Amino acid sequence: MITYRQRHKKKNFKPTKDNTLINIDYLIINLEGNPFGDFPETSNFKLQYYDYGTKIFASRSDLYFKNEKIGTLQHSPRSAILDVNFAQLQFENHLFYTLSHIDLKNLLVDFLEQTNYLFKAINRLDICIDKNDKNHNYRNIYDNIINGSYLISGRPKNLQSYFETYKGKSILNGFQIGKRTSDKIIRVYNKTLSLQLTEKPYINDFFQNNGIKNENVWRFEYQLNSAFFRHLKEIGQTSKEVVQDMTWGIFNKSTLFELLKIATKGFFELHENTGKSQINKEKKIELFDFDIMRNQVTKQVTIIKKLKKGLVSSLTIKKRLAKSLFREYYANEQDISYIVALNLLLEDKDYVTDKKLKVWFLNKMNFYLHEFRQNEKIQKYFYTELFQEHCNFFMDTIFTKYVPILQNYEPS
């Protein structure tokens, strides 16, 4: 039991209301699709292959967008246990600090469209909270846990400390709760010191652009592994909604808030130790006020938009059907009979971008034509003006058929 002297000697936790930053710091996603070859020359993407793969994947390559490395793509699993269409994409760290979440999402959408991969699940997601520690609260958390002043609720957990050498001296730079096999790991460390040891100018710029002075900035880093997201399926309807939108939802700050709250509850909840019989009866130490943080970071409400199960897969089917119709149109001397079905399909909505599929298709046409000629050896001349006339004819047909009906319609 903590002694009277220890209890009154400890420093009380005093939360501050300074700026708080929340961001993604690490992301690996699981993909599904046929093993990918090379992008056409007209694409902004390109792959630079390694001579060797990994223990899990036979193929590994660096992914570039406009000559900037944006990630590492791995596919063709070595083990027969894994599906042959299983692949993974790991994003480069700098993207999370130099691109907005919506820009990063659009970049991923573009990549998926050009490769026909499907975004299936999250393999690992790290969410970080950065905050100035003016009152030296965060450095003292570890000492207060070790000496018994603070209690951690929940099941027994693995606790490790991190020390760094700075100017020849050993300095406590943080601690970790959880181990490699855990479904989640939380790391707390001095990010200012870490950036002095390993320079990352883009993070310094990120701090400066968002009103945080890089002095004694501490980071709370939540590593959420694939098991964490699988577990969400078992804890109620709300969490199921989170899982169903976990793919595209992670590019929404509101979703990141919900994940932080879920990961904190029962795992990283601190209480003062006054000697009571149960931890839950002790006063809780609020490390963060999520409501204040939400107001600082985003104006969006705490609602996770739900995409009904099957919508994303049905969208993929529609895109593949559109590609097939366009192939037949091209291979059959631009037969107008295929245009009606194609244009009807392209009037549908893309649930990812909230735009008509026509916008997606117009950006894909040149890639498809290149694929038909290079990969499928369909050597036909494509008359762009004829294609436009056929599309205009389709629209004229629609107006001729339906506009008179709408004009003569009288509500009952």
Side-chain angles (χ1 to χ4, degrees):
M1 179 180 294
I2 185 172
T3 65
Y4 178 87
R5 183 177 180 181
Q6 287 176 320
R7 183 162 64 245
H8 289 274
K9 186 178 179 181
K10 69 182 181 182
K11 296 182 179 179
N12 293 325
F13 187 89
K14 297 179 181 179
T16 60
K17 296 184 179 181
D18 294 327
N19 283 350
T20 303
L21 300 182
I22 294 179
N23 201 18
I24 300 173
D25 186 69
Y26 194 93
L27 177 61
I28 301 177
I29 62 175
N30 293 342
L31 306 173
E32 181 182 75
N34 296 325
F36 188 72
D38 287 316
F39 292 95
E41 293 182 0
T42 53
S43 174
N44 287 321
F45 291 98
K46 69 176 182 179
L47 291 172
Q48 183 174 321
Y49 287 89
Y50 287 85
D51 295 332
Y52 50 89
T54 64
K55 291 182 179 180
I56 300 177
F57 295 95
S59 178
R60 180 167 68 109
S61 56
D62 290 335
L63 176 64
Y64 288 84
F65 180 78
K66 295 182 178 179
N67 297 320
E68 176 187 7
K69 184 180 177 182
I70 62 170
T72 302
L73 177 65
Q74 301 178 112
H75 61 77
S76 302
R78 298 183 186 275
S79 174
I81 299 176
L82 298 175
D83 192 302
V84 294
N85 293 325
F86 175 60
Q88 285 186 340
L89 175 63
Q90 177 180 335
F91 291 89
E92 286 292 295
N93 178 256
H94 73 274
L95 295 179
F96 308 117
Y97 301 93
T98 56
L99 293 180
S100 67
H101 286 185
I102 188 63
D103 288 338
L104 186 59
K105 175 183 175 181
N106 291 336
L107 185 66
L108 175 58
V109 169
D110 196 11
F111 167 79
L112 297 178
E113 288 179 349
Q114 294 193 35
T115 59
N116 286 326
Y117 275 125
L118 181 64
F119 184 2
K120 290 291 291 184
I122 296 171
N123 179 269
R124 173 180 164 183
L125 170 67
D126 289 12
I127 308 173
C128 58
I129 303 174
D130 292 315
K131 195 173 181 66
N132 285 111
D133 187 22
K134 293 183 177 180
N135 296 332
H136 301 283
N137 292 320
Y138 301 140
R139 180 175 295 281
N140 294 327
I141 289 177
Y142 179 77
D143 290 335
N144 285 328
I145 292 175
I146 294 301
N147 65 29
S149 298
Y150 290 170
L151 302 174
I152 306 177
S153 63
R155 298 177 180 178
K157 305 172 185 67
N158 181 273
L159 178 64
Q160 301 178 22
S161 59
Y162 291 121
F163 286 86
E164 304 278 5
T165 57
Y166 182 67
K167 294 184 178 180
K169 297 181 180 180
S170 178
I171 300 175
L172 173 68
N173 193 35
F175 61 93
Q176 172 180 299
I177 299 177
K179 49 188 178 181
R180 292 179 63 89
T181 56
S182 303
D183 60 352
K184 54 191 171 186
I185 299 172
I186 295 178
R187 289 179 287 270
V188 181
Y189 61 98
N190 188 316
K191 190 62 179 176
T192 298
L193 177 59
S194 177
L195 290 174
Q196 290 174 342
L197 300 173
T198 305
E199 292 186 2
K200 293 183 178 180
Y202 53 86
I203 296 184
N204 291 326
D205 293 340
F206 177 75
F207 287 163
Q208 183 177 357
N209 293 336
N210 287 277
I212 283 190
K213 193 173 183 180
N214 190 11
E215 292 182 359
N216 204 25
V217 174
W218 277 67
R219 169 165 289 190
F220 292 75
E221 196 169 89
Y222 290 64
Q223 176 181 326
L224 309 179
N225 299 319
S226 57
F228 171 83
F229 298 102
R230 289 197 300 268
H231 174 68
L232 289 180
K233 299 179 182 179
E234 305 171 0
I235 58 176
Q237 181 63 32
T238 301
S239 295
K240 285 183 179 180
E241 293 178 3
V242 174
V243 172
Q244 290 173 358
D245 196 37
M246 262 312 92
T247 51
W248 300 108
I250 61 173
F251 300 108
N252 186 315
K253 287 289 179 69
S254 296
T255 303
L256 299 183
F257 273 109
E258 294 303 311
L259 289 174
L260 287 172
K261 291 169 67 175
I262 294 171
T264 301
K265 187 175 182 180
F267 188 80
F268 189 43
E269 293 180 325
L270 300 179
H271 297 261
E272 291 187 5
N273 184 5
T274 60
K276 294 183 179 179
S277 58
Q278 296 180 12
I279 295 179
N280 291 337
K281 293 182 178 180
E282 299 281 14
K283 181 182 178 181
K284 188 176 180 179
I285 299 171
E286 298 289 351
L287 292 175
F288 311 109
D289 188 322
F290 283 103
D291 292 330
I292 293 178
M293 288 168 55
R294 182 180 296 106
N295 291 332
Q296 289 179 346
V297 177
T298 178
K299 298 298 182 181
Q300 296 175 334
V301 295
T302 314
I303 297 176
I304 298 177
K305 182 180 179 182
K306 178 181 176 182
L307 284 178
K308 294 182 179 179
K309 187 176 181 180
L311 283 182
V312 175
S313 59
S314 66
L315 180 63
T316 303
I317 293 173
K318 290 179 180 179
K319 289 182 176 181
R320 290 175 178 173
L321 178 57
K323 180 182 178 181
S324 298
L325 288 170
F326 185 57
R327 180 191 294 109
E328 294 303 312
Y329 173 77
Y330 172 66
N332 289 280
E333 308 296 341
Q334 296 187 229
D335 188 342
I336 193 173
S337 60
Y338 295 100
I339 286 293
V340 176
L342 175 61
N343 280 275
L344 283 172
L345 186 64
L346 297 181
E347 288 296 309
D348 289 348
K349 188 177 182 180
D350 188 331
Y351 300 105
V352 176
T353 62
D354 290 329
K355 299 178 181 179
K356 288 185 178 181
L357 283 171
K358 185 178 294 184
V359 177
W360 158 81
F361 179 77
L362 293 176
N363 290 324
K364 290 289 291 182
M365 271 183 53
N366 290 333
F367 296 107
Y368 286 155
L369 287 172
H370 177 84
E371 181 181 334
F372 299 155
R373 291 164 180 161
Q374 298 297 322
N375 299 347
E376 302 184 23
K377 306 303 180 183
I378 305 175
Q379 300 297 330
K380 302 282 185 179
Y381 185 81
F382 184 77
Y383 296 90
T384 305
E385 293 182 359
L386 180 61
F387 173 74
Q388 186 62 49
E389 289 179 6
H390 286 169
C391 291
N392 292 337
F393 176 79
F394 165 78
M395 295 304 298
D396 291 339
T397 303
I398 291 294
F399 280 107
T400 302
K401 183 176 181 180
Y402 291 105
V403 169
I405 297 176
L406 293 174
Q407 288 176 342
N408 296 328
Y409 172 74
E410 295 182 2
S412 57

